[in-house]
Amino acid sequence: QQQVKQSPQSLIVQKGGISIINCAYENTAFDYFPWYQQFPGKGPALLIAIRPDVSEKKEGRFTISFNKSAKQFSLHIMDSQPGDSATYFCAATISGSARQLTFGSGTQLTVLP
Amino acid sequence: GAGVSQSPSNKVTEKGKDVELRCDPISGHTALYWYRQSLGQGLEFLIYFQGNSAPDKSGLPSDRFSAERTGGSVSTLTIQRTQQEDSAVYLCASSSRWGSTSQETQYFGPGTRLLVL
């Protein structure tokens, strides 16, 4: 019930390409879905987040698409750059409660120059 | 500093020894979380403190794990009688006060890399 499933486990993209990472959740009480970016040796950092009242949110080259009926959301990185190479985690929580985040298993993205 | 800090950054210990990991949250943040990240895995929730409320310990994997938060600020995660399977990166995060619009945003520290030999 608390699980968030993330795919793919790893992703290799050419510079300038589109990176797509998918997540699915089970708990319908989740209503806040952040994506975190983690570089080696660092803690995760918030990248972008969405609430289920919108189907898409865009910030620069990063876009979250959200499908409430399917209980799925995805991260799209447009014009991927080598500096985007990192591990990306999707997460979910119940807003208004400062509850813990439930994380996906992570996707290791490599953008080739 | 402005961010979440953790110490030590690395810890090597022998099986059976106790270890203490420290977290200094962002000043003014009332919520504090501990997570564990095993190699190549996602983040596993361990424990959560919110203000003066009783902590949510539902994620602690065994009674060898405990945590406290003194004065509503600094937190210490203690692992007693460490086992090799405890080897992981232990991450601390904090978020702003209850009821604020940004309370869901958790800010992570760099983690403590624990290796149990």
Side-chain angles (χ1 to χ4, degrees):
Chain A
Q1 188 70 357
Q2 295 293 321
Q3 205 171 17
V4 175
K5 296 181 180 180
Q6 183 172 347
S7 63
Q9 185 175 8
S10 62
L11 180 61
I12 300 174
V13 174
Q14 292 286 342
K15 177 182 177 181
I18 302 173
S19 304
I20 302 175
I21 304 171
N22 301 299
C23 285
Y25 63 98
E26 298 174 356
N27 187 348
T28 55
F30 287 149
D31 62 356
Y32 179 73
F33 303 89
W35 285 88
Y36 280 79
Q37 179 188 55
Q38 185 178 30
F39 293 104
K42 305 292 185 182
L46 179 66
L47 186 63
I48 187 173
I50 196 169
R51 300 183 190 278
D53 53 344
V54 297
S55 60
E56 185 176 282
K57 182 174 182 180
K58 183 176 181 180
E59 290 184 0
R61 296 184 294 107
F62 301 91
T63 300
I64 300 178
S65 296
F66 187 85
N67 185 331
K68 186 175 181 178
S69 61
K71 294 188 287 186
Q72 295 176 347
F73 58 110
S74 60
L75 176 69
H76 296 232
I77 306 174
M78 312 300 288
D79 186 27
S80 299
Q81 299 296 312
D84 297 332
S85 297
T87 300
Y88 292 82
F89 293 95
C90 62
T93 190
I94 301 169
S95 65
S97 65
R99 297 276 296 273
Q100 70 271 19
L101 292 163
T102 299
F103 282 88
S105 55
T107 296
Q108 186 169 349
L109 172 65
T110 302
V111 181
L112 301 175
Chain B
V4 177
S5 60
Q6 293 186 244
S7 60
S9 54
N10 293 280
K11 177 70 176 179
V12 181
T13 190
E14 294 179 347
K15 177 182 175 181
K17 296 287 182 68
D18 297 351
V19 296
E20 287 189 350
L21 313 179
R22 176 187 169 103
C23 171
D24 284 86
I26 293 173
S27 178
H29 279 192
T30 59
L32 186 147
Y33 312 79
W34 283 98
Y35 294 87
R36 178 170 68 176
Q37 184 175 27
S38 301
L39 186 63
Q41 300 296 313
L43 282 75
E44 172 192 14
F45 165 74
L46 296 177
I47 188 169
Y48 151 58
F49 297 88
Q50 171 61 279
N52 295 321
S53 302
D56 177 354
K57 305 179 181 180
S58 60
L60 294 178
S62 78
D63 59 7
R64 296 186 296 104
F65 288 73
S66 63
E68 63 177 17
R69 189 177 185 191
T70 55
S73 181
V74 172
S75 177
T76 302
L77 177 69
T78 301
I79 309 173
Q80 296 179 310
R81 305 181 304 280
T82 53
Q83 303 295 312
Q84 290 181 330
E85 60 263 28
D86 298 335
S87 297
V89 176
Y90 290 82
L91 290 159
C92 175
S94 69
S95 65
S96 61
R97 61 180 176 82
W98 178 284
S100 70
T101 56
S102 60
Q103 67 184 11
E104 296 93 353
T105 301
Q106 295 185 19
Y107 299 87
F108 284 82
T112 294
R113 284 149 191 80
L114 174 65
L115 177 61
V116 182
L117 300 177

